[in-house]
Amino acid sequence: MLRLFSIVATTMIPIMTNAQTCMERHNLLAALVDDYQEQVVGVGLSDDGLYIVEVAANEQTGTFTIFSTNAAGISCLVVSGQGYEDTTFKRGVKG
C-alpha cells in the first residue's frame, strides 16, 4: 500500500531563496524530529532518477516539510508549511 499525501497549505513558506538549506540526510531528519516532531510520511523518485523526494509531517500539528536527497546523501529543503492532510490509496485502484 502506498501513501498519497494531500497537502492543503494554508501557509507555505518557500525554503529556497538565494541560498538553499542542505545537509546530510540523517542530520535533517534529526532536526525535523527534534524541532517539529515530523516523521517521513511519503517518498518518491524524481523523474530524472537523481533525487529521492520525501515529505515529513506531524499529523497532530499539521506541519510538513518537503526535501530532496541526492545519491551522496545530501538533503536540501524544498518547502515547509502547515495544513498537512494524509490520504491512503492502493496502487492501481481508482477512488
Side-chain angles (χ1 to χ4, degrees):
M1 181 183 303
L2 296 176
R3 294 175 59 88
L4 171 68
F5 38 86
S6 167
I7 300 172
V8 179
T10 55
T11 308
M12 291 188 73
I13 305 164
I15 302 284
M16 292 188 292
T17 54
N18 292 337
Q20 191 173 14
T21 302
C22 300
M23 62 189 74
E24 292 183 10
R25 183 178 181 274
H26 66 91
N27 291 334
L28 175 62
L29 291 175
L32 291 174
V33 168
D34 292 344
D35 296 345
Y36 302 100
Q37 296 74 52
E38 292 182 1
Q39 300 289 330
V40 173
V41 296
V43 62
L45 186 63
S46 65
D47 283 342
D48 60 10
L50 297 177
Y51 300 95
I52 294 175
V53 179
E54 297 178 79
V55 177
N58 179 322
E59 293 186 16
Q60 282 71 44
T61 65
T63 62
F64 69 90
T65 304
I66 300 174
F67 61 96
S68 63
T69 304
N70 65 21
I74 302 300
S75 296
C76 296
L77 299 176
V78 176
V79 69
S80 64
Q82 299 177 6
Y84 172 82
E85 293 182 19
D86 180 56
T87 307
T88 303
F89 77 101
K90 293 181 182 178
R91 184 179 297 206
V93 176
K94 294 183 179 182

